[in-house]
């Protein structure tokens, strides 16, 4: 997978991509990261990339021309690139969108700064995404979040392919079951006996039920999108009934 990040602050991206699993994936050529600075596409001696908003108001707005030039060059060289504008006004990122984005071989992420970007830049992108209902000072952390979530699904990036199959949101909107490791007991808290039984079928059933219970208790709004058997539904209702007894 190839990533292009368009930003005024390319230096922000160097450390995360040179460490850990992603650093190794870059070394192996599984991931490729290009950083593009809008300033390189700005004209004039001062290479101005932002300006005050028409109509008044505080702050600066990223200008359309440098971004348009950068994107024109990018699209000419890479006609299949999928361009995403990071903005708090975009569609909310979730695991289904992460999976879909992973299908693109080349993603370009457009980071805003200051008061945001000139409205006409929206016409130049393929989609607009937000990482949550809050406002960051720049698109770079949002780009990093998106790159992390998508890149870990690229085959060969994580050590074990299995680890992405069973985690939260891998099956629709289900949260992951509780995980334990050594020791068996800590401050009176014991690992559930079933996980030590060696009975893989029983463990799989326990995990599935715990995942359902955890999702219903922590994120009840996800309940509607969960598919479950009649037996699981009855079991869940029983847990809710006895809760607090
Ligand atoms: N004035 C803009 C607004 O109200 O929509 C917010 C601008 S914000 C201070 C600067 C930049 O940070 C945005 O252009 C965007 O690239 C990025 N950003 C901020 N919050 C974000 C979020 N929740 N998701 C994605 N990008 C975000």
């Amino acid at each position: 997978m190839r990533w292009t990040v368009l930003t005024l602050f390319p230096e922000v991206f160097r450390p995360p991509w040179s460490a850990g699993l992603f650093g190794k994936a870059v070394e192996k050529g599984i991931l490729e990261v290009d950083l593009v600075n809008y300033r390189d596409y700005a004209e004039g001696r001062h290479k101005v990339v932002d300006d005050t908003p028409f109509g008044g108001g505080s702050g600066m707005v990223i200008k359309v021309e440098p971004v348009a030039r950068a994107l024109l060059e990018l699209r000419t060289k890479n006609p299949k690139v999928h361009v995403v504008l990071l903005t708090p006004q975009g569609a909310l990122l979730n695991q289904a969108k992460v999976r879909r984005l992973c299908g693109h071989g080349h993603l370009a992420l457009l980071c805003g700064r200051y008061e945001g970007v000139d409205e006409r830049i929206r016409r130049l992108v393929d989609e607009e995404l937000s990482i949550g209902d809050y406002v960051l000072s720049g698109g770079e952390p949002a780009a990093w979040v998106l790159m992390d979530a998508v890149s870990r699904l690229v085959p060969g990036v994580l050590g074990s392919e299995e680890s992405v199959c069973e985690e939260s949101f891998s099956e629709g909107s289900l949260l992951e079951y509780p995980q334990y490791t050594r020791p068996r007991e800590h401050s009176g808290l014991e690992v559930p006996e079933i996980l030590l039984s060696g009975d893989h079928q029983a463990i799989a059933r326990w995990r599935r039920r715990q995942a359902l219970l955890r999702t219903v208790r922590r994120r009840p709004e996800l309940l509607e999108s969960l598919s479950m058997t009649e037996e699981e539904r009855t079991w869940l209702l029983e847990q809710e009934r006895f809760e607090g007894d």
Side-chain angles (χ1 to χ4, degrees):
M1 158 150 302
R2 184 169 174 199
W3 293 96
T4 301
V5 183
L6 298 97
T7 164
L8 268 180
F9 300 94
E11 62 280 7
V12 170
F13 280 88
R14 295 204 197 279
W17 284 100
S18 55
L21 286 170
F22 294 133
K24 286 202 187 99
V26 170
E27 247 172 58
K28 287 189 208 156
I30 300 170
L31 299 177
E32 200 182 322
V33 185
D34 309 317
L35 303 173
V36 174
N37 193 331
Y38 303 131
R39 216 171 280 288
D40 295 338
Y41 294 85
E43 284 184 324
R45 201 153 56 91
H46 298 294
K47 301 271 180 198
V48 176
V49 290
D50 55 350
D51 208 340
T52 51
F54 275 127
S58 62
M60 301 296 273
V61 175
I62 301 230
K63 287 161 72 65
V64 62
E65 304 105 304
V67 176
R69 275 185 219 110
L71 285 180
L72 180 64
E73 186 178 304
L74 184 69
R75 287 197 192 273
T76 308
K77 287 185 183 162
N78 311 276
K80 288 195 174 158
V81 66
H82 184 77
V83 181
V84 177
L85 171 65
L86 294 155
T87 162
Q89 301 174 25
L92 218 49
L93 185 66
N94 58 23
Q95 194 63 18
K97 291 194 180 80
V98 165
R99 273 194 294 271
R100 171 175 58 74
L101 288 170
C102 192
H104 292 279
H106 185 180
L107 287 164
L109 305 179
L110 232 144
C111 306
R113 273 270 166 168
Y114 317 124
E115 277 309 305
V117 298
D118 186 292
E119 186 66 18
R120 291 160 290 187
I121 289 175
R122 296 182 196 280
R123 301 284 183 101
L124 307 174
V125 305
D126 298 307
E127 68 180 307
E128 299 180 30
L129 288 174
S130 162
I131 63 159
D133 290 341
Y134 41 81
V135 180
L136 302 163
S137 53
E140 292 80 7
W144 173 233
V145 166
L146 199 158
M147 290 166 82
D148 186 309
V150 175
S151 295
R152 61 195 295 285
L153 299 188
V154 174
V157 171
L158 290 190
S160 154
E161 299 292 327
E162 254 178 71
S163 52
V164 294
C165 296
E166 290 195 4
E167 63 193 3
S168 300
F169 305 112
S170 55
E171 280 182 62
S173 303
L174 200 58
L175 301 183
E176 194 186 49
Y177 48 77
Q179 296 273 22
Y180 295 88
T181 184
R182 270 175 269 275
R184 285 185 178 199
E185 187 269 343
H186 173 73
S187 302
L189 296 173
E190 305 229 357
V191 173
E193 209 45 49
I194 187 107
L195 296 177
L196 312 171
S197 68
D199 181 341
H200 297 297
Q201 221 179 340
I203 291 172
R205 201 166 88 115
W206 181 87
R207 284 181 164 166
R208 163 81 184 160
R209 287 182 165 186
Q210 292 301 315
L212 285 169
L213 189 58
R214 176 159 282 201
T215 308
V216 167
R217 287 196 173 149
R218 294 187 180 203
R219 300 286 302 275
E221 79 279 12
L222 298 178
L223 184 61
E224 268 181 35
S225 60
L226 292 179
S227 69
M228 57 182 123
T229 63
E230 251 338 287
E231 191 197 356
E232 285 169 342
R233 203 174 289 279
T234 312
W235 180 83
L236 259 187
L237 279 172
E238 275 167 15
Q239 305 314 299
E240 294 302 290
R241 199 174 304 141
F242 294 125
E243 193 194 23
D245 279 5

